[in-house]
Amino acid sequence: MNIRRQTEYVWIHIAVFLCLCDWSASQLSYSISEEVNKGTVVGNIAKDLNLNVQELENRDLRVVSSYSKTYFNVNLRTGNLLVEERIDREELSVLSNPMTAHRIEVNVLDINDNSPAFVENKYFLNISESSLTGERYLLPVAVDADIGSNSVKSYKLSQNEHFSLDVQSGEEHGVSAELVLQKALDREKQSVITLVLTAVDGGKPSRSGTLQIYVNVLDVNDNIPTFSKSLYKVRVLENAIPGTPVIKLNATDLDEGMNGKILYSFIKRGNIDPLNIFDLNSVTGEINVKGRLDYEETPAYEVRVQAVDQGASPRSAHAKLLIEIIDVNDNAPEIAVTSLMTPLKEDAELGTIVALVTVTDKDGGNNGITNCEVVESVPFKLKSNYKNDYSLVVDGPLDRENTSLYNVTITATDEGSPPLSSIRVIIVQVSDVNDNAPRFMEPVINIYVKENSPIGFVIYTISAFDPDLDGNAKLRYRLLDTSRRNIPISSILNINSETGDIISLQSFNYEELKTFQFKVQATDSGVPPLSSNVTVNILILDENDNNPTILAPYSEHGSINSESIPYSAEAGYFVAKIRAVDADSGYNALLIYHLSEPKGNNLFRIGTSTGEIRTKRRMSDNDLKTHPLVVLVSDNGEPSLSATVSIEVVVVESTADIQTQFRHVPIKEDSFSDLNLYLLIAIVSVSVIFLLSLISLIAVRCHRTDGSFSRYSAPMITTHPDGSWSYSKSTQQYDVCFSSDTLKSDVVVFPAPFPPVDAELISINGGDSFTKTQTLPSKEKVVLYLNDKSQCITFLKKKIGYIIWIFHQIVRLFKYPSLDDSCTLGHTKS
């Protein structure tokens, strides 16, 4: 029979994990007998741990084992720990969500259910008749499948007159028996002696087994071999290769000849055959390694050797050889993982148990002592429960949006030399929770919409993103009514809650509504839902949908207006000035004047930007007395819109016959009158007030922090090679244009209320030619008529302030008060 146990008790450790608020550990110990019936009650866990029985079923109690059988179970209704199978393995009992460890030890007690038995049924012993009393003969040992007190404890010999039995206790090596010759043998009287050896165990009641011993009485061989030692001890490394020497036995015999020639051999005892492990030279007594040594299987070998002479009646002696196997670090630690809790929510608290880890090493001593840890930088750590039992717990914050899966690498290293280690990778998945609000790419969104756009038009598709998953990232959009005009935003716009499409519910008119603001809220579908807002500015872009309007005193096309000029008028004589306005903005409101005369008549010209009609030359006798003129006023929109006015210019002989709406310019006086002084003082005062107001306005605009347009850049003034210049700001743009088609130069300034999308610049060069690009609609138009273009260009190129330039023109006004050299300032609103 096989030897199944090496120790008296079998200790089975059961780890019971309960869901408690604080981690605590306690230890219970139970004792049961082996091979007890299924259903035997080991103990009441609920009672011994002071737990409520109702909590066991609610907390999902389950048994976890690394082996195929389950040896214990727990009755959830009573809390009793029951025997489920024959016990020979370590068990774990687990309650989830999360876990607290209690250690339970079950002591399995052996029962005397096996009788001692000998390997052979018969044993033959040859003893010379010349043997002296007191000689000893080693007898076979009996084996018992039981352990501890139930194993073999003594031997008994049947009653006889020649032999007695000497029973020896070998402590950890068991009990052995030797046959002792008490009375000299006489072969002639009895050649064969039959004995019965009985092995008795220590059970209650005891069990026994017998062996038939046949003693053959041999003829005389006076001397027996003698070993140099009765006990040999030797140590061998477990990684010794076959052929490695172990020991050389030495025995002597005083006899001569064949009676003194010794042969060595092993004595087989029990179920271990030393010939499978070691090789013994029968002549020399040398013992070498034959098979594979494994400290983890057998840490030591107790081998009996004998020396037998070659006499006619061979005599023998025996000795004990104890071979200790020296452990080497040839087994790496083994890592077992159970109760893996995955996926793990990303809001898991610190200390939450993720898995249970057990480390084992088959080596002994320091070679079997292991250290286990988590390598790399991950938000997990190992927490020791008991000896080589660990819990993998959360040790840092988790964020699924950054890392949704962790490869947790656990390494176990023993303390051998050199140390051996093993690695186990645990894959921990992180599940999503709704911890991220939707995000917009910008805090403020500017949307440009053309006026007169159709109803139901998608003006913009707004979108936000949410780094969460599934329902936590599914977004819905809605409008927040923040309009300051007391107009519900829902009456102007609508938004598709799924796609974010913003749809117009009405057509916009730039002249009525230039801009408005509202907010859009994006909300996810998580529990609880999270949301965020974005500010949206709707900027209406002007379209050229208004015709120019002729201002008084001239009426539009359909009636004829009359003007008179003297026959003696010189070239450049002022005839009339046409003024017109356009309700549009920007270049849609920039007007250009054209003059239509009968063919062959080149007497008049008109300033394309000023609208002043003047003579090109002196009159001649061949010229007509009446000149019908048609003035076409067109804007710069696309397509361009226009208006016309008809003027009939009548040539008279004397200036007394001229009737005009403009007063005659007084003759330049040599002295500076009091009226001019008062007028100068008034104009200077007004200019100073204007200057202070302009500076205050610029300061307020530059330092304004509220509203959605304060984030744009500071103003910039740029000059151009042709003499034009631009003043631009993130919220305004001023384009200055000059014209040289008259004696006076013109400056046109266009301020824009919003940041330019496609900036437009008009530069008017010499003559009537100009270039144009596109710009945003402007809020108002300022036209300055200046008398000296070269001075203006030089002044602007030197980047001198615009206001000082105005003062310069005012001084020139009083220095040259004639009508032809005057400076007229006109301002029109869109």
Side-chain angles (χ1 to χ4, degrees):
M1 298 179 65
N2 295 328
I3 297 177
R4 295 178 297 171
R5 298 176 179 85
Q6 298 296 330
T7 58
E8 181 178 358
Y9 300 103
V10 178
W11 295 92
I12 298 180
H13 303 289
I14 302 176
V16 179
F17 295 81
L18 301 178
C19 177
L20 300 178
C21 296
D22 298 322
W23 190 93
S24 63
S26 61
Q27 179 167 322
L28 299 178
S29 178
Y30 300 104
S31 296
I32 62 170
S33 298
E34 68 169 351
E35 296 184 351
V36 294
N37 295 330
K38 179 178 179 181
T40 300
V41 177
V42 179
N44 191 294
I45 295 178
K47 179 180 178 181
D48 295 338
L49 294 179
N50 294 324
L51 299 177
N52 191 344
V53 176
Q54 287 74 13
E55 293 179 351
L56 297 179
E57 187 170 2
N58 296 334
R59 295 185 183 178
D60 186 23
L61 177 65
R62 51 198 173 95
V63 175
V64 178
S65 175
S66 58
Y67 298 92
S68 59
K69 291 185 179 181
T70 301
Y71 298 100
F72 292 96
N73 200 353
V74 176
N75 189 319
L76 299 181
R77 293 188 295 274
T78 63
N80 288 332
L81 180 64
L82 306 177
V83 174
E84 189 72 15
E85 291 284 348
R86 178 179 175 86
I87 302 168
D88 61 355
R89 293 285 183 176
E90 191 175 86
E91 302 291 335
L92 290 179
S93 186
V94 176
L95 282 172
S96 58
N97 296 324
M99 296 174 286
T100 300
H102 297 271
R103 182 174 181 82
I104 299 175
E105 291 185 352
V106 179
N107 180 12
V108 182
L109 302 178
D110 185 49
I111 62 174
N112 191 22
D113 55 344
N114 293 280
S115 298
F118 293 89
V119 177
E120 303 90 357
N121 295 326
K122 298 178 180 181
Y123 182 73
F124 296 92
L125 186 62
N126 297 321
I127 301 177
S128 175
E129 66 176 346
S130 63
S131 297
L132 301 177
T133 59
E135 288 186 12
R136 294 174 177 267
Y137 306 94
L138 185 65
L139 297 179
V141 295
V143 293
D144 195 329
D146 296 320
I147 61 173
S149 61
N150 296 325
S151 61
V152 176
K153 294 299 181 182
S154 65
Y155 293 91
K156 296 179 180 180
L157 188 65
S158 60
Q159 189 68 30
N160 67 93
E161 61 179 336
H162 294 285
F163 297 95
S164 65
L165 190 66
D166 184 11
V167 180
Q168 300 174 351
S169 176
E171 296 179 354
E172 72 274 8
H173 302 296
V175 180
S176 62
E178 293 181 347
L179 194 64
V180 181
L181 181 62
Q182 298 290 340
K183 182 180 179 181
L185 300 176
D186 188 356
R187 183 179 179 279
E188 286 68 26
K189 291 183 178 181
Q190 188 177 6
S191 61
V192 177
I193 301 175
T194 302
L195 302 175
V196 178
L197 178 65
T198 303
V200 182
D201 62 21
K204 293 181 179 180
S206 62
R207 288 175 175 264
S208 62
T210 61
L211 173 67
Q212 293 289 333
I213 301 176
Y214 298 93
V215 178
N216 296 320
V217 180
L218 303 179
D219 204 5
V220 174
N221 186 6
D222 295 337
N223 295 286
I224 62 174
T226 304
F227 281 99
S228 60
K229 293 181 180 179
S230 61
L231 175 63
Y232 293 91
K233 291 184 178 180
V234 66
R235 303 180 71 189
V236 181
L237 291 174
E238 69 169 321
N239 61 349
I241 61 175
T244 301
V246 176
I247 194 173
K248 183 177 181 180
L249 302 177
N250 182 24
T252 59
D253 194 320
L254 297 178
D255 293 328
E256 293 182 351
M258 297 301 292
N259 291 332
K261 186 178 180 180
I262 298 175
L263 295 178
Y264 300 93
S265 63
F266 287 122
I267 302 176
K268 182 179 179 183
R269 305 178 72 241
N271 59 353
I272 299 177
D273 188 357
L275 290 174
N276 296 329
I277 309 299
F278 303 100
D279 186 19
L280 173 60
N281 189 318
S282 61
V283 177
T284 63
E286 293 179 350
I287 298 177
N288 298 323
V289 175
K290 179 180 180 181
R292 185 182 67 88
L293 302 180
D294 191 348
Y295 171 85
E296 288 72 40
E297 292 182 2
T298 307
Y301 292 92
E302 181 182 337
V303 180
R304 297 302 178 99
V305 294
Q306 71 176 357
V308 181
D309 60 27
Q310 301 298 304
S313 299
R315 304 189 68 176
S316 65
H318 64 274
K320 183 186 296 184
L321 173 61
L322 183 60
I323 303 174
E324 295 183 4
I325 307 302
I326 301 175
D327 181 48
V328 295
N329 194 25
D330 57 347
N331 290 279
E334 297 179 0
I335 302 174
V337 178
T338 59
S339 300
L340 179 60
M341 307 297 181
T342 185
L344 185 67
K345 288 187 176 181
E346 62 177 318
D347 60 350
E349 297 181 355
L350 298 180
T352 301
I353 294 179
V354 180
L356 300 179
V357 179
T358 302
V359 181
T360 57
D361 195 316
K362 295 180 180 179
D363 294 321
N366 290 338
N367 296 331
I369 299 176
T370 60
N371 298 307
C372 190
E373 63 180 353
V374 175
V375 299
E376 301 179 351
S377 178
V378 292
F380 302 96
K381 70 175 181 179
L382 284 176
K383 185 176 182 180
S384 177
N385 296 330
Y386 180 82
K387 293 185 178 178
N388 293 329
D389 292 335
Y390 302 88
S391 295
L392 181 66
V393 299
V394 177
D395 190 42
L398 304 177
D399 189 357
R400 188 209 60 81
E401 287 70 38
N402 290 333
T403 306
S404 61
L405 185 143
Y406 289 94
N407 291 322
V408 182
T409 303
I410 298 176
T411 179
T413 306
D414 59 30
E415 296 185 2
S417 180
L420 298 178
S421 62
S422 60
I423 295 176
R424 179 71 180 268
V425 178
I426 301 177
I427 299 176
V428 180
Q429 294 180 343
V430 182
S431 62
D432 184 55
V433 297
N434 192 28
D435 56 349
N436 290 278
R439 302 176 188 173
F440 292 94
M441 297 301 296
E442 304 177 320
V444 177
I445 298 176
N446 294 324
I447 302 175
Y448 298 92
V449 181
K450 291 183 179 180
E451 66 172 331
N452 305 320
S453 58
I455 298 176
F457 176 69
V458 177
I459 63 175
Y460 191 80
T461 299
I462 200 166
S463 64
F465 73 96
D466 194 317
D468 292 323
L469 284 179
D470 302 329
N472 295 333
K474 185 178 181 180
L475 304 181
R476 298 183 66 87
Y477 303 91
R478 71 185 185 97
L479 299 176
L480 299 181
D481 200 343
T482 58
S483 177
R484 300 179 181 177
R485 301 178 182 271
N486 297 324
I487 302 176
I489 196 67
S490 58
S491 64
I492 302 176
L493 300 172
N494 188 20
I495 189 169
N496 188 314
S497 61
E498 300 291 339
T499 64
D501 292 340
I502 300 177
I503 304 171
S504 63
L505 300 180
Q506 67 177 38
S507 181
F508 300 103
N509 189 350
Y510 175 81
E511 287 71 35
E512 295 178 359
L513 180 65
K514 295 180 176 57
T515 180
F516 62 92
Q517 186 182 84
F518 60 93
K519 289 185 178 180
V520 174
Q521 184 179 78
T523 306
D524 59 31
S525 301
V527 179
L530 300 177
S531 62
S532 60
N533 301 335
V534 65
T535 300
V536 180
N537 293 312
I538 301 295
L539 310 175
I540 310 302
L541 301 180
D542 183 47
E543 292 286 313
N544 191 27
D545 57 350
N546 291 280
N547 292 330
T549 301
I550 307 298
L551 299 179
Y554 302 104
S555 59
E556 295 186 5
H557 184 71
S559 61
I560 299 177
N561 303 277
S562 178
E563 292 289 348
S564 300
I565 61 173
Y567 179 80
S568 61
E570 297 291 335
Y573 183 84
F574 179 82
V575 177
K577 182 176 179 64
I578 308 301
R579 293 181 175 86
V581 294
D582 194 313
D584 294 321
S585 297
Y587 283 101
N588 293 330
L590 179 61
L591 302 180
I592 300 176
Y593 299 87
H594 298 281
L595 186 61
S596 176
E597 295 183 274
K599 293 183 179 181
N601 191 342
N602 58 352
L603 182 59
F604 302 97
R605 60 184 175 87
I606 187 170
T608 58
S609 59
T610 64
E612 292 183 353
I613 301 175
R614 295 179 180 272
T615 59
K616 290 183 179 180
R617 56 179 174 79
R618 290 180 59 87
M619 297 291 177
S620 66
D621 295 338
N622 295 329
D623 292 328
L624 300 176
K625 300 302 181 182
T626 301
H627 299 270
L629 303 177
V630 178
V631 178
L632 175 66
V633 182
S634 59
D635 58 28
N636 280 271
E638 293 182 2
S640 177
L641 300 178
S642 62
T644 60
V645 61
S646 298
I647 299 178
E648 188 177 79
V649 179
V650 179
V651 180
V652 299
E653 293 296 333
S654 77
T655 58
D657 298 333
I658 298 176
Q659 297 180 359
T660 179
Q661 58 181 323
F662 297 102
R663 62 178 178 83
H664 293 287
V665 179
I667 300 174
K668 180 179 178 181
E669 298 179 357
D670 295 335
S671 62
F672 196 78
S673 64
D674 294 337
L675 180 60
N676 289 339
L677 178 60
Y678 297 149
L679 182 59
L680 178 61
I681 294 174
I683 292 177
V684 170
S685 301
V686 172
S687 300
V688 170
I689 295 173
F690 172 74
L691 176 61
L692 294 176
S693 300
L694 182 61
I695 293 174
S696 301
L697 177 61
I698 294 174
V700 170
R701 283 185 172 269
C702 291
H703 295 84
R704 187 177 67 183
T705 59
D706 59 334
S708 60
F709 304 105
S710 60
R711 61 186 178 92
Y712 296 106
S713 59
M716 180 184 296
I717 296 178
T718 306
T719 61
H720 303 282
D722 60 354
S724 62
W725 60 280
S726 299
Y727 167 82
S728 63
K729 191 181 178 185
S730 61
T731 58
Q732 293 176 326
Q733 176 174 322
Y734 297 90
D735 296 332
V736 181
C737 309
F738 293 96
S739 175
S740 60
D741 61 341
T742 66
L743 295 177
K744 298 178 182 179
S745 299
D746 303 331
V747 178
V748 183
V749 182
F750 296 94
F754 304 111
V757 178
D758 296 320
E760 180 177 324
L761 176 65
I762 294 182
S763 300
I764 302 181
N765 303 315
D768 294 334
S769 63
F770 64 92
T771 60
K772 182 180 74 169
T773 57
Q774 189 176 357
T775 187
L776 280 175
S778 63
K779 185 176 182 183
E780 60 182 4
K781 172 176 66 179
V782 179
V783 181
L784 301 177
Y785 304 102
L786 308 176
N787 67 334
D788 192 340
K789 175 180 179 181
S790 62
Q791 291 186 5
C792 295
I793 295 174
T794 303
F795 180 75
L796 293 174
K797 286 184 177 180
K798 293 180 180 179
K799 301 182 179 179
I800 301 176
Y802 173 68
I803 300 302
I804 300 176
W805 177 68
I806 294 295
F807 279 119
H808 176 67
Q809 298 301 324
I810 293 174
V811 172
R812 295 185 68 235
L813 172 65
F814 289 97
K815 185 175 180 180
Y816 305 103
S818 62
L819 180 61
D820 291 341
D821 287 336
S822 65
C823 176
T824 306
L825 177 64
H827 176 269
T828 61
K829 291 272 188 180
S830 62

